[in-house]
Amino acid sequence: VDRVPTALYAKDAATGQFIFCNSKAEQVFGLTRDQVVGRTTQQIFPPEEAARLLQQDVLAREAGPAGVSDEGIHVGRDG
């Protein structure tokens, strides 16, 4: 999955903590894997972005195996 040119990550549904992210997600988030894994969306992203991403989590849970697609603009830590 580190060779996939898309940011991929997984979260624990119960706690909301990231349990995995690939190298592209590290690049997009502007953080290392160690800085992502174990943290929540609210701990990583600014409040407005975190709220949007948490809403996407709700939609994904409601969609179940059908999944949900989300496309947006993420402003990294470097601007």
Side-chain angles (χ1 to χ4, degrees):
V1 291
D2 274 336
R3 294 180 188 197
V4 176
T6 302
L8 299 175
Y9 59 84
K11 293 188 206 176
D12 182 301
T15 66
Q17 292 178 318
F18 286 85
I19 57 174
F20 167 80
C21 76
N22 70 351
S23 58
K24 186 63 173 183
E26 287 181 294
Q27 182 182 0
V28 169
F29 295 169
L31 299 168
T32 67
R33 209 167 280 170
D34 288 341
Q35 293 171 310
V36 173
V37 172
R39 295 175 74 193
T40 64
T41 299
Q42 299 94 318
Q43 293 171 314
I44 294 176
F45 296 98
E48 187 175 300
E49 179 71 357
R52 187 186 75 75
L53 292 170
L54 290 170
Q55 181 58 37
Q56 288 300 314
D57 289 350
V58 169
L59 294 174
R61 282 192 300 277
E62 290 173 354
V68 64
S69 177
D70 176 42
E71 186 170 326
I73 296 173
H74 172 73
V75 179
R77 292 188 181 281
D78 62 359

